Amino acid sequence: MLLRLPLRLVATIISIFFFVLISATTQQTFSKNHMQPRVSNALQVAAGGDFTCAIQTNRSVKCWGGNVVGTLGLGDTYYRGDDANEMGANLPLVDLGTGHTAKQIATGASHSCAILDDDTVKCWGEGTYNRLGYGNSSTRGDNPDEMGENLPTINLGTNKTALQVTAGLYHTCVILNDHTLTCWGWNPSGQLGIGTSSESTVNLGSGHTALAVSAGIAHTCAILNDATVRCWGDNTYGQLGMGNTTQLDAPSDTAVDLGSGRTAITISASGYHTCVVLDNGQAKCWGKNNVGQLGLGDANNRGDDTGEMGTDLPAIYLGSERTATQIVTSMRGDLDYTCAILDNGSLKCWGYNGDNQLGQNDNTNRGAQSSDMLNLNAVNVGTGEKVTGISIGGAHTCVVLQSANIKCWGMSNRGQTGQIQWFWYGMGDNLPQVDLDGLVATATPTDTNTPTKTNTPTKSNTPTKTKTPTKSNTPTKSNTPTKSN
């Protein structure tokens, strides 16, 4: 029969047969291994544009995903997590220097910054526009001998140390030990907040200091010591929350109107929108809303005109009697989304969903239709699990669970979820934990939700890297600025 078919068709049939055979064998291998609980022991996760970093309970740092410009801090440009045998014990630690560990890590589109155990700051990855804070545009972490002792700490000023760091698209901000705020990097929209000053210190107003800060694509927002919010930078869509579209190159003297007597406890600046959790647990968002990222059941921007802030800005419906403890936003611009951890440890996400970053096992956007938030299901992160920490990147979401493990979902074209892209797991118990240490936990017969460490590593041989990354894998940045002389 095959002899009567064209040779090209015969070759195609044979190729499909072997692909299905190999895929079935691989799937069988994965299905045997991925259901075993890991022992990641994570404290914090930070999702960047196409990569992810985590601080483990011993304060060491591991990063995986895209790595064209050294964002993983491993002294090369190989992606990690997009092929088998690249996670777990085979994933190297980020070298922060002899004896040094991390307290906090922040990731931007293509750079990372960490506060070390001595409260100094180191940054690596793409260095254009001085986003790393070393006074030049040099990239760090993509070549050998650029990390560890060879990666200098950033000069924060005499007797100055860091309390919090945030990384935006092309800029970085740090709250210092005296609660002053300093920012560096690209500044065409005034996102550094320094006005016409040549200094890097942001003038927050008389008597005002910073408690929290968040950097977006081209705007920055801070919670001040009186729990009010100030924003500055790009305001094309009302993301500064001032009831207009006027760009500010320094913090406004007027606080964002959050509603009568309301103050903020957490804040997140995204591509083109901003979100806060209020002191009463309500969540509010303003700015661009083309895909429902504000969670208000429509696609109308908020904050770009009068009568849209304060009591006129609705709180997001999170469920009957549900409140929020943390809210985070993506940094993709036109395709942004938002996630909130609720008071019961559950998680809800809304906005753009082209890569299942909302965790609903589909590609349907949510938040722009009147019924979307009323019918929004919590993300299924696994039986009995609660979410204690979250970070979202360009199009992937990562959470730290109550079990101290990490799970990620959404786009994984460069391994940023820690799982091979073409293998579909689903959500809930079917979604594997990110393997950071190569250990698995064995559940006890009496309590399947409490894993017992076996302390037996299942290390596989470290593969010899033969693949050479090509610049064709470099993400296309529609938001990349054009330098002028």
Side-chain angles (χ1 to χ4, degrees):
M1 184 69 179
L2 288 175
L3 294 176
R4 299 180 182 177
L5 297 175
L7 289 178
R8 182 176 297 178
L9 180 57
V10 172
T12 302
I13 293 173
I14 294 173
S15 298
I16 292 173
F17 171 77
F18 279 107
F19 176 79
V20 171
L21 179 62
I22 293 170
S23 298
T25 303
T26 305
Q27 182 171 349
Q28 184 180 24
T29 301
F30 273 92
S31 64
K32 287 179 180 178
N33 294 330
H34 90 270
M35 293 299 291
Q36 299 183 69
R38 314 304 310 181
V39 186
S40 295
N41 289 328
L43 288 175
Q44 186 207 340
V45 65
D50 64 353
F51 69 103
T52 310
C53 294
I55 298 178
Q56 302 182 97
T57 49
N58 63 0
R59 301 286 180 176
S60 63
V61 172
K62 286 193 172 186
C63 299
W64 59 94
N67 194 31
V68 170
V69 287
T71 45
L72 304 188
L74 299 178
D76 58 39
T77 55
Y78 294 117
Y79 299 170
R80 302 301 201 287
D82 61 333
D83 282 334
N85 300 319
E86 292 186 336
M87 298 297 292
N90 293 322
L91 182 64
L93 295 174
V94 176
D95 186 357
L96 300 174
T98 304
H100 282 303
T101 56
K103 285 185 172 181
Q104 189 221 333
I105 192 163
T107 51
S110 55
H111 75 292
S112 305
C113 294
I115 299 178
L116 306 188
D117 54 294
D118 59 357
D119 299 320
T120 59
V121 175
K122 288 188 174 185
C123 297
W124 60 91
E126 189 171 0
T128 52
Y129 313 108
N130 187 38
R131 76 189 77 177
L132 300 186
Y134 294 115
N136 53 53
S137 293
S138 298
T139 292
R140 312 226 177 187
D142 60 335
N143 288 309
D145 302 323
E146 290 184 343
M147 297 296 294
E149 303 301 324
N150 295 319
L151 183 66
T153 57
I154 294 168
N155 182 5
L156 299 175
T158 305
N159 297 322
K160 292 293 194 299
T161 56
L163 296 177
Q164 187 210 334
V165 61
T166 180
L169 186 68
Y170 301 116
H171 72 293
T172 306
C173 295
V174 172
I175 297 178
L176 303 178
N177 53 321
D178 58 359
H179 287 277
T180 57
L181 179 63
T182 183
C183 298
W184 59 82
W186 197 50
N187 195 37
S189 300
Q191 57 263 54
L192 300 189
I194 57 176
T196 58
S197 172
S198 60
E199 299 294 326
S200 61
T201 301
V202 180
N203 183 1
L204 297 172
S206 178
H208 283 145
T209 55
L211 296 180
V213 63
S214 182
I217 282 182
H219 79 291
T220 308
C221 293
I223 299 177
L224 305 189
N225 54 320
D226 59 358
T228 60
V229 170
R230 301 289 200 283
C231 297
W232 56 92
D234 179 41
N235 195 29
T236 304
Y237 305 100
Q239 58 262 49
L240 303 189
M242 301 306 297
N244 55 50
T245 57
T246 303
Q247 179 175 297
L248 298 177
D249 60 5
S252 171
D253 293 334
T254 305
V256 175
D257 186 357
L258 302 175
S260 179
R262 296 273 71 92
T263 55
I265 59 173
T266 68
I267 191 164
S268 182
S270 77
Y272 301 129
H273 74 292
T274 307
C275 296
V276 294
V277 175
L278 303 180
D279 57 307
N280 61 357
Q282 290 182 332
K284 286 190 174 185
C285 297
W286 58 89
K288 192 166 187 176
N289 194 33
N290 60 312
V291 287
Q293 56 265 55
L294 302 189
L296 298 177
D298 58 43
N300 302 322
N301 298 345
R302 301 296 202 287
D304 60 342
D305 204 351
T306 57
E308 293 183 339
M309 295 298 295
T311 55
D312 294 312
L313 180 65
I316 299 166
Y317 179 75
L318 299 172
S320 179
E321 299 184 357
R322 291 274 72 88
T323 57
T325 60
Q326 185 181 353
I327 195 164
V328 292
T329 55
S330 66
M331 201 182 298
R332 204 165 174 186
D334 291 335
L335 303 177
D336 277 334
Y337 68 108
T338 309
C339 294
I341 301 176
L342 307 189
D343 57 300
N344 61 354
S346 64
L347 177 70
K348 288 190 173 184
C349 300
W350 56 92
Y352 183 69
N353 193 37
D355 298 285
N356 187 41
Q357 54 263 62
L358 303 188
Q360 298 293 333
N361 276 329
D362 59 36
N363 302 113
T364 303
N365 297 347
R366 287 169 173 82
Q369 303 298 320
S370 58
S371 61
D372 283 352
M373 299 305 291
L374 291 174
N375 299 320
L376 184 62
N377 294 322
V379 178
N380 184 356
V381 294
T383 304
E385 285 285 14
K386 293 184 178 181
V387 178
T388 60
I390 184 172
S391 182
I392 59 181
H396 72 292
T397 305
C398 292
V399 294
V400 179
L401 302 175
Q402 193 175 40
S403 59
N405 285 295
I406 292 174
K407 285 190 174 185
C408 298
W409 59 89
M411 182 179 285
S412 192
N413 58 327
R414 292 174 176 85
Q416 56 264 54
T417 65
Q419 317 294 342
I420 297 176
Q421 179 191 10
W422 52 263
F423 193 85
W424 174 251
Y425 296 102
M427 295 297 295
D429 294 334
N430 291 319
L431 181 66
Q433 298 146 359
V434 176
D435 180 11
L436 294 184
D437 53 17
L439 300 178
V440 296
T442 302
T444 63
T446 55
D447 186 358
T448 56
N449 291 322
T450 306
T452 302
K453 288 186 182 180
T454 62
N455 292 324
T456 304
T458 57
K459 292 184 181 180
S460 57
N461 293 327
T462 304
T464 301
K465 292 272 187 177
T466 57
K467 62 177 181 179
T468 302
T470 61
K471 291 297 179 180
S472 61
N473 289 324
T474 305
T476 303
K477 292 179 181 177
S478 58
N479 295 313
T480 303
T482 303
K483 281 187 176 178
S484 58
N485 294 325

